[in-house]
Amino acid sequence: MGAQETIMQVTKFKWGLFALLVTLMVGLGVGQATTAQAAAYQTVTSKTITKTAYHKKSKKGALYNQTHTRKVVNLSAHPNTTWYATKQATLKHANSKGIYLYVANKSGSIKGWVWHGYLKKGTAPLSLKYAKGAVAMDAQTGKVIWSKAGNTARPIASVSKIMTLYLTLQKVESGKGSWNDVVNTSSKGLIAMGNSAACGGFKFKSGHKYTVKDLYYAAYLDSSNNAAIALGKWVAGSNGAFIRKMNAQAKAWGLKHASFVSASGLENSDLAAFGYRYGSANANKVSPIDVAKIARHLITDYPRVVTDGQIGSKYVDGQLLYNYNNLLKGRKYYQASLKVDGLKTGYTPLAGYCFVGTGQKTGKHRLITVVLHDENEFTETRSLMNYAYKSSSMNA
């Protein structure tokens, strides 16, 4: 082999080795610009389409920018979001083509391109993550718009007081009692309950006289347990007689999933210490649908509860009564369009956070919602209300 041939072979080998290294670098992604070019999706065709609602079809899929070089968000992170498509495009990647939709959420804060197969036409179905039981009911017709475990009876804590309020108002409005009637609050058990850090709220002070109206506001706004029990004794003559009256009223309304052992919603495990244990069961248990039916009777028969339910706070006997409904105007979870004006909160460790809400959106029937054992009772109530109002049957 001549010297020149040797030099040529060595040179050829070097160039071949260089070419191999370049190929390997590109394959490994070292060549940044080339990789971006290879990874990018190319638009073949694109058009504007009529705005159409979609929701996620499965756990798969994500939104990207049009070239797919940047992920916007995984669809699984927004399981209850309705996406609105306004553009359609055929995108090409390597040797494959696909139809993609340009979508955005309702507010327009999240938007991007997604393969059409990851979506399904229509608004997203509601899925309350935390509530163990829930219902949305048309207060005018009694129609159930949506429910989750709607006929399963659960502990309802102070939501029980809507039945106590109903029977109190029934006695007043029938003329058998008066707002100005003085209620016997001398019970040592009820005085101790008022002073209890865990079960109290409104204090029955020695020598003070409290009227039906005083205790009505204490039980309604501040969810006072001793006030509710004292009202029950005023209505029926004794705690036991009142609880029997609660159950009789539930039966008269045809409620099949409702049983009461307490005028306040406290469980017997707490009431025993104050001498107010009643019955063999530990707690009031009512299904979401039956709670909504009680609320419907209360609102329909005694509409003043809607006006009273909007009171944020009130002083009675120098004590501040605070309404814990955080969907009211000025509160953390207020949404103006929902016009929430009631109704009742509740909590015990056994029952969890419970809430009966009501409001009447402009142009719609009045709505009643119930969420039981819900860690996010106000946000999920708001979601439930917004969902229910989309039903055509709610139109006034």
Side-chain angles (χ1 to χ4, degrees), residues 299-371:
I299 292 166
T300 303
D301 294 350
Y302 307 111
R304 70 164 292 157
V305 296
V306 171
T307 302
D308 293 335
Q310 298 175 64
I311 300 171
S313 62
K314 181 183 178 67
Y315 278 94
V316 170
D317 189 41
Q319 301 181 59
L320 177 65
L321 307 178
Y322 184 81
N323 189 336
Y324 292 92
N325 181 354
N326 282 326
L327 286 175
L328 294 176
K329 187 174 182 179
R331 299 293 177 80
K332 183 177 180 180
Y333 300 102
Y334 172 69
Q335 182 180 325
S337 63
L338 295 177
K339 297 187 176 180
V340 173
D341 46 22
L343 190 66
K344 191 72 197 73
T345 58
Y347 173 79
T348 65
L350 177 67
Y353 291 99
C354 304
F355 181 61
V356 183
T358 187
Q360 186 164 11
K361 193 172 183 177
T362 302
K364 302 287 185 176
H365 292 170
R366 174 168 288 280
L367 177 66
I368 295 169
T369 57
V370 178
V371 293

Side-chain angles (χ1 to χ4, degrees), residues 130-153:
Y130 297 104
K132 291 187 177 179
V135 69
M137 177 181 286
D138 185 325
Q140 182 169 317
T141 65
K143 179 181 178 181
V144 173
I145 307 300
W146 185 93
S147 71
K148 176 182 180 180
N151 286 316
T152 300

Side-chain angles (χ1 to χ4, degrees), residues 47-118:
K47 64 179 180 179
T48 300
I49 61 174
T50 303
K51 188 175 183 179
T52 307
Y54 288 88
H55 61 277
K56 78 177 187 69
K57 192 175 184 178
S58 66
K59 294 181 180 180
K60 298 179 181 180
L63 271 61
Y64 290 84
N65 63 344
Q66 193 164 354
T67 57
H68 275 58
T69 56
R70 178 176 61 85
K71 182 188 286 188
V72 177
V73 70
N74 287 318
L75 289 176
S76 60
H78 297 270
N80 304 317
T81 298
T82 299
W83 302 100
Y84 296 92
T86 52
K87 295 179 186 177
Q88 179 181 307
T90 299
L91 303 183
K92 181 181 179 182
H93 176 58
N95 295 320
S96 64
K97 294 180 182 178
I99 297 173
Y100 290 76
L101 298 171
Y102 180 73
V103 301
N105 60 356
K106 187 176 181 181
S107 68
S109 60
I110 306 173
K111 46 197 171 186
W113 291 87
V114 59
W115 180 55
H116 75 100
Y118 289 136

Side-chain angles (χ1 to χ4, degrees), residues 205-378:
K205 299 174 184 177
S206 178
H208 288 230
K209 294 182 178 180
Y210 301 99
T211 65
V212 172
K213 182 172 282 189
D214 291 337
L215 301 190
Y216 163 82
Y217 283 122
Y220 189 6
L221 303 181
D222 205 52
S223 204
S224 169
N225 294 310
N226 57 348
I229 296 170
L231 282 174
K233 293 169 71 176
W234 172 79
V235 169
S238 71
N239 181 57
F242 182 72
I243 293 167
R244 290 191 290 274
K245 193 173 183 69
M246 294 172 81
N247 286 303
Q249 186 63 73
K251 185 177 180 180
W253 284 334
L255 307 187
K256 298 179 180 179
H257 308 283
S259 62
F260 295 93
V261 294
S262 163
S264 64
L266 283 177
E267 286 97 30
N268 272 325
S269 52
D270 288 317
L271 290 166
F274 305 104
Y276 281 93
R277 181 182 181 90
Y278 179 88
S280 57
N282 184 44
N284 295 340
K285 286 190 176 182
V286 188
S287 70
I289 289 176
D290 281 355
V291 169
K293 288 179 178 178
I294 298 170
R296 184 176 179 231
H297 282 288
L298 178 61
I299 292 166
T300 303
D301 294 350
Y302 307 111
R304 70 164 292 157
V305 296
V306 171
T307 302
D308 293 335
Q310 298 175 64
I311 300 171
S313 62
K314 181 183 178 67
Y315 278 94
V316 170
D317 189 41
Q319 301 181 59
L320 177 65
L321 307 178
Y322 184 81
N323 189 336
Y324 292 92
N325 181 354
N326 282 326
L327 286 175
L328 294 176
K329 187 174 182 179
R331 299 293 177 80
K332 183 177 180 180
Y333 300 102
Y334 172 69
Q335 182 180 325
S337 63
L338 295 177
K339 297 187 176 180
V340 173
D341 46 22
L343 190 66
K344 191 72 197 73
T345 58
Y347 173 79
T348 65
L350 177 67
Y353 291 99
C354 304
F355 181 61
V356 183
T358 187
Q360 186 164 11
K361 193 172 183 177
T362 302
K364 302 287 185 176
H365 292 170
R366 174 168 288 280
L367 177 66
I368 295 169
T369 57
V370 178
V371 293
L372 302 181
H373 209 293
D374 192 333
E375 292 179 23
N376 291 315
E377 71 274 30
F378 297 117

